[in-house]
Amino acid sequence: MDSGNRLNFTFDLNREELQSLQDAFCRSNDMYMMCLGRDFETITSFSGSKLEEEFVLENFSTQLRREILSSFTDGNPENVIERYGSEPYLLYRGVGIRGDQGRVLGAWICFGIDGDKTPEDIFLSSELKRTTAEAFDKSISLIETLTHYYCAEKLKAIALKNKLKEEADSGKEMEDRLHKNEIMTDILQLMESDNSFSQVSEEILRAAGEYVDCTHTGLLQVRQGMDLADMICEWVAEGQEPLKDKFQGTPLVDLPFMNGKPYTISSDTELPEAFMIYFGKYNISAGIFLPINVNAMPAMYLCFLSLKKNRKWSVEDLRFTNDVKSILHTILVKKITKNSLASSYSALDSILQNAGYGVAVSDMEKNSLLYTNETFEKMFSLDVDRMAIEEILFDKKYLLNELNGYFANGSQKWYDINFSNIKWVDGREVKLTTFYDITDLRSYQKRIEKQACEDLLTGLLNRQTYERDVNSEYHFYQKTGSEFAVLMIDLDDFANINEGSGSKVGDELLKFISSSINEISQIKGKVYRVGGDEFAVLVDHEIYKDLDLIVKRIRNLFDNPWVVDGVGYYCSMSMGGVKSSNVSDSVNILTRLSIALHDAKKNGKNQFMLYDENADVLAAKRLKIEQAMRRAVEEGCEEFEVYYQPIMEMVDGVTVCCGAEALCRWNSKEMGFVMPDEFIAIAEQLGLISEIGEKVLFAAAKRCKHWNDFGHPEFKVNINLSVIQLTRTDIVDTIRDAINFTGINPRNLTFEVTESLAINDMERMIAVLEQIRSLGCRVALDDFGTGYSSLSYIKNLPIDTIKIDKSFINDVTSDGFAEAFVKTVAELADSLDIDVCVEGVEHDNQLQMIDRFSVNLAQGFFFDRPITGEEFEDKYI
C-alpha cells in the first residue's frame, strides 16, 4: 500500500477481552497486572483480593506506573520496560500494547514478588502470590507474545472490514456511474424533441429528480419586466404534495436565491435569515438553486428541493445538476432562436465536449462524421481502433440499439456503445452514438469471477468449478462419444503432518503438492482442490489417450519427500479413477469416484484404483438412496425427522440439562430408518442438503421456542450447518426467516460448523459467521481436534463454543496427550470467555476427569442417546 494513502487501523482497547485475559493470566502465573491506556486511564480492574490490591498499590506507586507507561513511544520497537523499586524482591515490568504503525495504545503494568529473594525477617501474608525472577520474566515474554497476536488479529479484522467496504464502495460507484450515463443519454436525446419547452422540461425534471432522489424539482420563470416569478414546470416524488400552485406570481423578494447566483444548501448548512424564513415557510430541508441565463440575465431558476427529509448534497449531485442545467439552457436557447444552427451547435458542443463519455454523430447517407467530442477522439486515437469503430458507425445493416462489451484491440479498452436515430441541428436524420468506457468494471468483474472459481490457498480451481467442468465434459461425451476420465487424489495421513509440524507447514505443503500436480503438462489447468487435502483431475477427451501416463506421473511425484523450508516430509496419496464409459450420468461420477478412492484406501493406501464394475451393487444401493431422497425432498422433506441429544451443563459438580443438539434422521417410506452417515454425504453431493437443513432449522427452532415458553427460557438448541449451506448466499436470510417465523430468542440458537469448513476460504467463513452472530445467534466450532485443528481457529473464528471431538474423550483417562489437549483448549477458551463442550462422554470416569478442567458443557451416551422431540420433553421439560 502506498504510504501516502495508508489507512490508520488503530483500534480501541476492549475492556472485557483484556479483563478476561488478565484474570486468567494472573491466576495461572502467580503475578499481578493492570492495563492502562496511553493517557493513564484504567482499562482493567484489579485481579485479586482486597488485601492483595492494597499491598500492590502500596508498593507500586502511581509515579512509577506513570514512568513505565511514558517510557513507551510511538514507532519504537521496544515492548518491555524494566524498572526497580526500593526492595530487590519486588519485580516491576511494563509490556506495551501497540496498534497500527507501532502507535502506543496502552500498556500492561506488571508486578511480582520474588519468593526466593524475600528476606526471612519480612512478614508477607500467605494470601499474596509469589513467583521467581526467572518465572516472572517467562510470564512477561508470554504476555508480550499474546498481546502482539491479540493486536495483530484486531488489526487484521479491521483491515478485512475496510477491504470489504472498499470493494463494495467500488462496485456501487461503478453502478452509479453507469446509471448516471444512462440517465444523461436519455436526457440528451430530448434535446432534439419537437415537443414544447414545457413538455421536454417536465421529462427532464422527472428523470433528474428520480436520479438525485429529491422530493421536488421545478423551473421558476421570471415574468418579463416584473419582479414576480412563476413555477412553469414541476416534478413531485410519490407521496409528496405539489408546490406549483404556491409559486404563482411570487414576489422575487420572497425568493432569496433569485439574485443571479447559484446556491447549494444542505440540511446542516447554517442559513441566513432570509433563507431561514423561506425554508421554514415551505418545510424545505435542503435545496439546489441554479440560474439559467439568456442574454447574460437570469431568465429561469432550476430548483432541486428536499422537503421534510435531511439531505447533504454530494459533489456528484452538483456535477449532475449543473449538467442538467446546461442541457435545459441549450433547449431554451434553441427554442428561443427557432433552431438557429449556430447557437444550437455552439451550446451542444459546449456541453458534450466536457461529457465523461464519447459522442459521435454520423451522416449515414454521406458516410461522414458530423460531430465528435474530445472524449471520443481520445478513446479512438489509434488508427487501428479508429478504422474498426468507423466500420461499425457506417454499417447500415447494423440495427441493434446497443453493443455491450466492445473491445478495442489497440488501446486494450472495453466499451458499451449505444445507438440512436435523431434529428441534427439542421433537421437531417443522423445516428447519435455514445461510448462508455467500462474497462474498470470489466476488470472488476473478471477479478470477482476469478476469485469465485479459484481456491484461495493453492490457486487451483475449486470444487464448484470442478463440478461445472465435469458436467460440461460429460455432455460433450454424450454427443460425440469421446471418452474422458476423472481422478480423485486424497493425501494419506496428512493430518499427522499438520498436527506435528503446524498448520503453516501444512498449508505450504498443500501449495507445493498442488503446484507440482498442476505443472504436469497434459493436465495443467485441469486440477482442482475439492476438499482439505483432496484434489481432482479432469482427463478430458483431448488427453484421454494419455491416461496411464498421467496416472504414472502423478504417482511418481510422491516417490520422494516434499521439501518445505529445508525439511523433507514424506506424504503418500491414494487415488481413485472413473472412466466416462462406466457411468450413466454426471452425478454418478462422484459416486463411483468415491467408491474407487475408498477401495484404494482400503487396500493399504498409496494405491491407485479404477472404478470396478463389480461394485455396481454398491452403486445400485447408492442410486436407490438418491432416488428415494430426491422424492422425499420433492414431497416437502416430511420423512426427515429431528432427534434431540441433551447437552448437559456442569454446575458445582452436578450436571443439568441446558438444551439439546438437533440431529437429522431419515425415516424413508421405501428404505426404512436411514442413519445420517448413510445419507448426509449423498445429500450434500446432490445439492439437497439445504432443503433438508432448512427443515431441521425451522423444526428445531420451533421446538426450542416451545421449551422456552414452557418453563425453560434458557434452553438452547444446537443446529449443524454443512459447507453447502454456508456457501449459499441466502443462509443468513434463511436463519433470519426462521427467527422471525418462530419468534425464538436468537441467543437460544447455536449453529455448529466444523473447522474443516474454514480451510478453503477463512476470510469468507469469518464474514458469514459474523453475520450469523449479528442476528444474535451463537456459533460453535464442532469436532475440534480432528483434521486441521489449530489453536489459531479459536482466535480467528468468531465463535462462542468449542466442541472437543469424542476421540479425545475416549482416551482422556489413559492418554497423556488427550488429557493435555483437553486441558490446554479448556484453559485457553476460559481466558477468552468461550464455552467448552466435550462430546462422546460414555463413562463416569471420563466425566470425573474432565470435571477437573475448565469445561462447562458435555454430551454423550452417558447422559442420553438422541431421542425424538416428544421423548425429550417427557424427560427434560
Side-chain angles (χ1 to χ4, degrees), residues 74-89:
D74 292 345
N76 193 321
E78 187 175 23
N79 274 333
V80 177
I81 300 295
E82 181 177 0
R83 289 291 182 271
Y84 299 93
S86 58
E87 301 295 339
Y89 64 91

Side-chain angles (χ1 to χ4, degrees), residues 197-198 202 219-221 230-234 244 300:
F197 177 79
S198 294
E202 285 176 356
L219 271 178
L220 284 167
Q221 184 178 33
D230 304 303
M231 183 174 284
I232 61 171
C233 298
E234 181 187 35
K244 187 175 180 181
M300 294 184 181

Side-chain angles (χ1 to χ4, degrees), residues 493-504:
D493 302 319
F494 182 74
N496 295 337
I497 295 176
N498 207 59
E499 292 172 2
S501 302
S503 60
K504 182 177 180 181

Side-chain angles (χ1 to χ4, degrees), residues 635-655:
E635 294 178 358
C637 297
E638 295 300 323
E639 295 179 5
F640 296 96
E641 302 173 357
V642 182
Y643 277 50
Y644 300 87
Q645 185 175 34
I647 298 175
M648 314 302 288
E649 183 175 14
M650 291 178 278
V651 182
D652 298 329
V654 179
T655 56

